[in-house]
Amino acid sequence: MKKLVLFLLLLSKSVLLSQTVLNSFPLNLNNPLEDGQILNVEDVKTHDIYVFAADNKKINILKYNKSLFLTNQFTDSIKNIENRTLIGCSINDDGNPLLYWSSQNSRNIRIVKYFLETKTSRSLNFDFPEGNEYIITSFQKNNNFYVLAKEKSQQHLLLYEFKNGNCEIKMFDFSDFKFQTEKGQNLTFSSLIRYYPIQKMELNDFNPLDKASNINKMYVLDDHIILTFDYSFKKTQVFDLNIKTLEVTEKNFDQPVSLKTSKTSNSFYNQNKLYQIKANSEEFLFDIKDFESGKMIKNISLSKNDTIRFKNSPLFLQVNNNKPQELKTTAKFLKLLSDLSVGVSVLENKKNNYITFGGYIEYIVSNFEYGQNDFYDAGNSYYSQNKMVFFDAVMNENNDFSTTVKSEPLAIDNIFYYLGTNKNILLQNIIKLKDYSILSYYDDTQKQFIIRKFTDGFIREDNGNPIMNKAVFSKPASFGQIKAR
């Protein structure tokens, strides 16, 4: 599944001082650009950090303690996992990791358990049932590995829980629930998520607008999965999936009521609140509701003639990866926004909520070449284009907007600025820890695996923050695909 992180890295001269390297390890990967894969995982019980770096011949396992000192290392040959994708990890109660290697058709997973003390490994196969139609997503939670899948011709979801070498299949049944558009058109659950695929959101991390603008979203909590569906312009339909009891609970939240018909609305779940947004060329509407009671917490309604006084950044338009253009008026912003898929993204950080409002669209453009007699040339091609409008805001713990909060870069901003200015980095992976984030990557020039520390804020003498002036960048914009391969 495509994963884009939206940040703009403007071309500017910058002296990157005081980079903190927490650890480095000599590593020579075979053809890392084509065959390399990397995955980082934190053991939530011990806070040890595992690094898995593989090519087409071997897998390198590095284990670090919570202070990021290397405590164990194991290199194993690739056994029957050629041409497979490393999709996840779980950690047994005995402290040994298991890696999950998916086949190209996603019908089979080879599970390999690595014993770091004895430097051995053991593998087995897991075949998905024949009725499995497709995989929605996979994720790690509490040292376990999960795969969420859809079964053919069935109105339910299957959650595969891999724990301590065993797999338990859990079913969430949606057959008794009604799915209906604002025009009264009935939908089946299967057709709804096939037409509008479910997009997993990352809790406690920034979710860019290309993800947040999806109308069907998924949030993984402890023992719960929250699904939010915004296919109707009248309401947000929410389902709470209890992973322990398998109970599915439905909730409905009315969307803000607009004076003019709106063709774009959306929501975002964060910290037991539902943030809802609706827009057209005349209006911008925003609600915050308590998730448990449905009670209104905050309500904002603006017209195209109003000034957005709670914004903490200019209004921006960005096309593809080009430099954003500042929009001068609310009317211009709303006119552009009305043609996009609207979205809102919320990140809580140090008692403040950092909110990105905007919209995003991606479309395919055909580049046809005409030959003689105006016939299409066989060499025609297709390419992707995207457009986004956005602005940022900051809300304090009392749910009041604040325009006086100093806008400093977050750790993720510093990381992606660093990635954008260093071209020898391959196979990068990011883990957000309690007080800072670490960037792990393979340096193809030095032939080393490197771990760097980044914190929130501007450059300081004691950490690796590279941004000295936030004016050198603005978020969000398309940075590119960050993948474990």
Side-chain angles (χ1 to χ4, degrees):
M1 184 174 292
K2 187 175 183 181
K3 296 180 67 179
L4 293 177
V5 179
L6 301 181
F7 287 94
L8 173 65
L9 305 172
L10 299 184
L11 296 177
S12 63
K13 293 182 179 180
S14 177
V15 180
L16 302 182
L17 304 174
S18 201
Q19 294 299 316
T20 302
V21 177
L22 297 180
N23 217 305
S24 62
F25 187 84
L27 204 60
N28 192 1
L29 296 180
N30 181 49
N31 193 18
L33 187 60
E34 296 296 327
D35 299 319
Q37 300 188 73
I38 189 173
L39 179 65
N40 288 6
V41 175
E42 181 188 16
D43 186 331
V44 298
K45 295 180 180 179
T46 65
H47 301 292
D48 292 331
I49 301 296
Y50 290 86
V51 174
F52 307 97
D55 54 24
N56 61 348
K57 294 182 178 180
K58 59 185 180 301
I59 173 76
N60 301 275
I61 303 175
L62 307 176
K63 181 181 179 181
Y64 298 86
N65 63 20
K66 61 182 179 181
S67 300
L68 275 301
F69 289 108
L70 184 66
T71 60
N72 210 328
Q73 184 265 335
F74 175 34
T75 299
D76 195 21
S77 61
I78 295 291
K79 301 174 182 177
N80 301 317
I81 50 178
E82 298 88 347
N83 301 318
R84 286 178 177 259
T85 302
L86 179 57
I87 61 172
C89 170
S90 65
I91 300 175
N92 270 14
D93 289 340
D94 61 13
N96 288 305
L98 291 87
L99 292 186
Y100 299 82
W101 302 81
S102 175
S103 61
Q104 293 183 346
N105 62 6
S106 300
R107 298 296 181 186
N108 170 271
I109 295 178
R110 180 168 288 272
I111 306 170
V112 184
K113 182 176 181 179
Y114 297 93
F115 301 87
L116 300 188
E117 297 302 324
T118 60
K119 302 296 187 290
T120 57
S121 62
R122 186 173 65 221
S123 64
L124 58 88
N125 278 319
F126 177 83
D127 293 314
F128 287 101
E130 291 185 2
N132 195 70
E133 185 174 6
Y134 60 91
I135 291 175
I136 296 173
T137 189
S138 60
F139 58 93
Q140 287 138 215
K141 187 70 174 179
N142 296 328
N143 285 356
N144 300 327
F145 178 67
Y146 296 86
V147 174
L148 186 67
K150 178 68 178 61
E151 194 172 16
K152 293 179 182 178
S153 305
Q154 301 294 330
Q155 306 303 308
H156 60 238
L157 297 178
L158 296 179
L159 182 67
Y160 297 83
E161 181 185 61
F162 296 89
K163 180 179 180 180
N164 284 322
N166 299 313
C167 178
E168 181 179 353
I169 304 176
K170 302 182 177 183
M171 187 185 77
F172 298 100
D173 188 7
F174 292 86
S175 59
D176 292 334
F177 297 104
K178 188 175 183 179
F179 302 90
Q180 190 176 68
T181 68
E182 67 278 355
K183 296 181 179 180
Q185 179 185 5
N186 291 320
L187 301 171
T188 65
F189 175 72
S190 296
S191 61
L192 172 62
I193 65 172
R194 184 182 299 111
Y195 190 69
Y196 300 111
I198 296 173
Q199 175 68 60
K200 181 178 178 292
M201 297 291 106
E202 301 300 328
L203 292 178
N204 304 317
D205 208 347
F206 176 71
N207 291 277
L209 279 179
D210 72 318
K211 292 176 59 178
S213 61
N214 283 268
I215 66 173
N216 289 344
K217 301 186 188 68
M218 167 185 172
Y219 307 81
V220 180
L221 286 65
D222 288 333
D223 300 324
H224 288 264
I225 294 174
I226 302 296
L227 299 178
T228 59
F229 296 152
D230 284 281
Y231 61 92
S232 170
F233 300 140
K234 290 185 177 181
K235 66 179 182 179
T236 300
Q237 190 176 18
V238 178
F239 293 94
D240 183 346
L241 283 55
N242 189 310
I243 297 177
K244 286 188 174 181
T245 66
L246 307 185
E247 181 182 8
V248 179
T249 304
E250 180 185 13
K251 295 183 179 183
N252 287 281
F253 298 82
D254 291 337
Q255 283 278 1
V257 179
S258 56
L259 299 177
K260 178 183 176 181
T261 301
S262 298
K263 60 180 181 180
T264 179
S265 62
N266 217 323
S267 69
F268 194 91
Y269 172 87
N270 186 66
Q271 299 295 333
N272 213 36
K273 297 172 188 168
L274 189 70
Y275 298 75
Q276 294 176 296
I277 184 174
K278 180 182 283 188
N280 55 51
S281 60
E282 303 287 332
E283 299 170 285
F284 176 89
L285 306 171
F286 174 58
D287 287 354
I288 304 177
K289 296 186 176 77
D290 181 82
F291 187 74
E292 295 300 328
S293 66
K295 181 180 178 181
M296 181 76 70
I297 297 175
K298 198 172 193 68
N299 169 257
I300 290 178
S301 176
L302 298 171
S303 76
K304 66 177 182 180
N305 298 318
D306 294 328
T307 299
I308 305 177
R309 301 192 183 280
F310 59 86
K311 62 184 175 66
N312 211 33
S313 76
L315 305 172
F316 283 118
L317 161 69
Q318 186 179 11
V319 178
N320 298 325
N321 296 336
N322 299 321
K323 179 180 178 180
Q325 306 170 38
E326 185 174 344
L327 303 173
K328 298 300 183 181
T329 66
T330 303
K332 183 65 174 178
F333 177 81
L334 291 181
K335 182 179 180 181
L336 292 167
L337 181 61
S338 64
D339 292 327
L340 307 181
S341 297
V342 72
V344 57
S345 178
V346 183
L347 172 62
E348 185 176 15
N349 186 274
K350 297 178 181 178
K351 296 185 179 181
N352 287 323
N353 285 320
Y354 294 84
I355 307 176
T356 299
F357 298 95
Y360 176 88
I361 190 171
E362 184 174 11
Y363 49 93
I364 303 299
V365 178
S366 60
N367 182 21
F368 290 109
E369 299 289 344
Y370 286 90
Q372 294 183 349
N373 301 322
D374 288 337
F375 284 107
Y376 288 135
D377 191 296
N380 63 68
S381 60
Y382 299 86
Y383 57 95
S384 172
Q385 297 278 300
N386 63 72
K387 181 187 294 185
M388 176 168 51
V389 295
F390 63 95
F391 69 91
D392 294 331
V394 178
M395 181 175 285
N396 62 28
E397 57 185 327
N398 297 320
N399 300 307
D400 295 322
F401 285 108
S402 175
T403 57
T404 60
V405 174
K406 186 177 180 181
S407 182
E408 291 190 348
L410 301 175
I412 191 69
D413 295 323
N414 284 297
I415 287 175
F416 278 91
Y417 185 84
Y418 181 81
L419 289 173
T421 53
N422 290 267
K423 305 304 180 183
N424 297 326
I425 294 175
L426 298 178
L427 310 176
Q428 62 267 22
N429 198 285
I430 300 167
I431 292 183
K432 184 175 181 180
L433 303 177
K434 182 179 180 181
D435 299 318
Y436 59 93
S437 295
I438 59 173
L439 167 68
S440 304
Y441 62 89
Y442 180 67
D443 189 310
D444 195 33
T445 301
Q446 300 183 39
K447 304 299 181 184
Q448 286 189 334
F449 180 82
I450 299 174
I451 300 178
R452 292 182 182 269
K453 172 185 176 181
F454 294 83
T455 62
D456 298 337
F458 294 108
I459 187 169
R460 300 185 179 94
E461 292 301 322
D462 61 345
N463 62 38
N465 293 354
I467 296 178
M468 294 177 287
N469 179 0
K470 198 176 181 184
V472 303
F473 80 104
S474 174
K475 73 173 190 297
S478 183
F479 176 79
Q481 188 171 15
I482 306 302
K483 58 183 181 178
R485 180 176 172 84

